[in-house]
Amino acid sequence: MNKSKQLEFQCQTDLFIDICALETLREAFKSVKRNKGAPGIDGITIERYEEDLESNLNQLKTEVMSWTYKPTPVRRVEIPKPGGKGVRLLGVPIIKDRVLHMAIKMVLEPILDPTFSENSFGFRPERNQQQAVQQAQRIVQSGKEYVVDIDLSKFFDRINHDRLIYRLKGHINDSRVLRLIGMILRGGIMIDGVKMPSEEGSVQGSPLSPLLSNVVLDELDKELEKRHLEFCRFADDCNIFARSQRGAERIMESIKKFIEKKLKLKVNEEKSKTRKSNEVKFLGMTIIEGTIAIAKASYDKAMEKVKNLIPRGTHLTIEKTMKEINTWYQGWASYFKMTQYPAQLKGIEGHIRRRLRARFVCQQKKKRNLLALLLKRGIKKKSAAKTVYSNRGTWNLSHTPALDRAFTVEWFVEQAGQKIISNAQMKHWFGIEKWVKLT
């Protein structure tokens, strides 16, 4: 063991005691509360657990330190995957277990995270998706535009427990912590009232699982670095870059063998491909000629979301509809603003406005009512009448000059600023700011 590893181990005095400390458990509960989440199989909510918090935390501490603690099986939840392609299996631990998982994460993360690769960006402090996409961009700009796009099949469900504990032993010298993690991994799953053993995998839904997943996949990172390959990884989404299609194919073949034989994981043959960067979706983005763009699948999904949030016929008021679309768009745009093609954002914003204008048309049951609305909005009578009595359908009417002038971008900003959100925010979200289109 080298000197740095010896010093690391010497600093790990009583990690188990640190995890069980009431101060740690209190901080862990605060994090669990911030993350919200549904109750586990016991039905106890975060609010109910908090009603007698000190007593509950003291009991948890006593159980863990006396080794009378037993993990409760997690509640299985199935989340449909986009496009109807199967389901994602999540697990919901009870609040007590969630607090313990968070406490373990809080104590171990400062020890484990510094050992992880600089090319890993997922579930790590001060690292995010944008940094991962920017690294992918830098690599492509360097001339490596062919991507080995690896998809791990049911990664969290197939984590090998023995191999994970073995990897942890290389960094954690407190055997009690390793024993506790082993108990959690084997805690079981409740399906239709029947407890099923968990002989492999780590629960998606546990605060501890993201950290453990990085421990598992750091072995892949180190192997790629040893081979001097350029890559970026976010959780189980890993892209490796090459200068040619042939080189990418060679990398795919050898890395696939390493993943399946050494890590005991499974590569999804259908989704794992070698292709040029402009054909690869990475964290919702794609790299086109060295620039970052919103991937087509992500863009199409956003357009469909707008359609669902602003249906033509609905009982919701226009104010309620605008509030819902603004709430969604705020979150969506805050992530996808990393695109270097501003026209993509303007396209979504324009689609939002057009669907809202279509709503105004639909609300007028008769043509004379629509005519009166346009006149009220300052449209000249001749232009308004020509538009209303043109026999166009609702969708065509929503993008006529008369409707555009009646309900301008500035009008939407004014309405949103008065009733929903700040004017400054709305200026960004609905495209009032000047955008410079990339050439």
Side-chain angles (χ1 to χ4, degrees), residues 292-309:
I292 300 170
I294 302 170
K296 184 179 184 303
S298 302
Y299 191 84
D300 291 346
K301 185 178 178 181
M303 295 289 272
E304 186 65 25
K305 181 69 174 179
V306 171
K307 181 179 178 180
N308 293 335
L309 286 172

Side-chain angles (χ1 to χ4, degrees), residues 247 329 385:
Y329 191 63

Side-chain angles (χ1 to χ4, degrees), residues 8-211:
E8 178 186 324
F9 269 55
Q10 288 170 6
C11 292
Q12 294 179 26
T13 56
D14 291 330
L15 292 179
F16 182 75
I17 301 300
D18 292 341
I19 290 169
C20 296
L22 283 175
E23 183 180 352
T24 304
L25 295 177
R26 288 191 193 100
E27 288 301 312
F29 174 78
K30 289 179 183 177
S31 295
V32 169
K33 184 179 179 181
R34 281 194 299 271
N35 293 338
K36 302 179 181 179
I41 64 172
D42 62 356
I44 296 177
T45 63
I46 294 174
E47 293 75 19
R48 184 176 164 190
Y49 191 86
E50 189 176 21
E51 288 174 2
D52 198 9
L53 182 61
E54 287 304 308
S55 176
N56 287 330
L57 296 182
N58 272 291
Q59 181 181 348
L60 176 58
K61 174 183 177 178
T62 301
E63 289 178 4
V64 175
M65 294 197 69
S66 64
W67 294 102
T68 57
Y69 167 78
K70 292 184 179 180
T72 302
V74 299
R75 178 167 61 86
R76 172 67 82 203
V77 177
E78 294 184 355
I79 306 296
K81 291 184 178 180
K85 299 179 180 179
V87 296
R88 180 172 286 106
L89 301 177
L90 303 182
V92 183
I94 64 171
I95 305 302
K96 179 178 77 172
D97 289 353
R98 225 179 294 174
V99 171
L100 179 60
H101 297 183
M102 182 62 77
I104 297 172
K105 173 183 179 289
M106 289 167 55
V107 171
L108 296 192
E109 189 169 62
I111 298 170
L112 296 172
D113 189 78
T115 70
F116 295 153
S117 169
E118 287 297 311
N119 301 295
S120 165
F121 296 90
F123 309 130
R124 298 184 62 188
E126 299 180 8
R127 286 174 171 256
N128 55 43
Q129 293 101 320
Q130 184 173 2
Q131 292 169 337
V133 173
Q134 288 171 342
Q135 170 147 318
Q137 178 189 28
R138 286 193 295 271
I139 298 172
V140 171
Q141 288 175 337
S142 74
K144 295 184 177 181
E145 58 179 349
Y146 290 88
V147 182
V148 180
D149 185 12
I150 295 177
D151 184 88
L152 298 179
S153 177
K154 298 180 179 179
F155 165 67
F156 280 92
D157 299 329
R158 289 194 166 119
I159 289 176
N160 184 281
H161 292 174
D162 292 339
R163 189 153 197 88
L164 171 56
I165 296 299
Y166 172 77
R167 294 287 297 175
L168 285 170
K169 281 182 180 178
H171 304 285
I172 308 299
N173 70 349
D174 194 328
S175 60
R176 295 169 296 179
V177 175
L178 300 176
R179 178 185 171 188
L180 185 58
I181 292 174
M183 288 172 58
I184 290 171
L185 291 171
R186 295 187 298 272
I189 304 164
M190 190 67 74
I191 303 176
D192 296 328
V194 179
K195 179 182 177 181
M196 306 293 291
S198 47
E199 297 175 352
E200 63 178 0
S202 181
V203 174
Q204 286 194 72
S206 162
L208 183 58
S209 286
L211 179 62

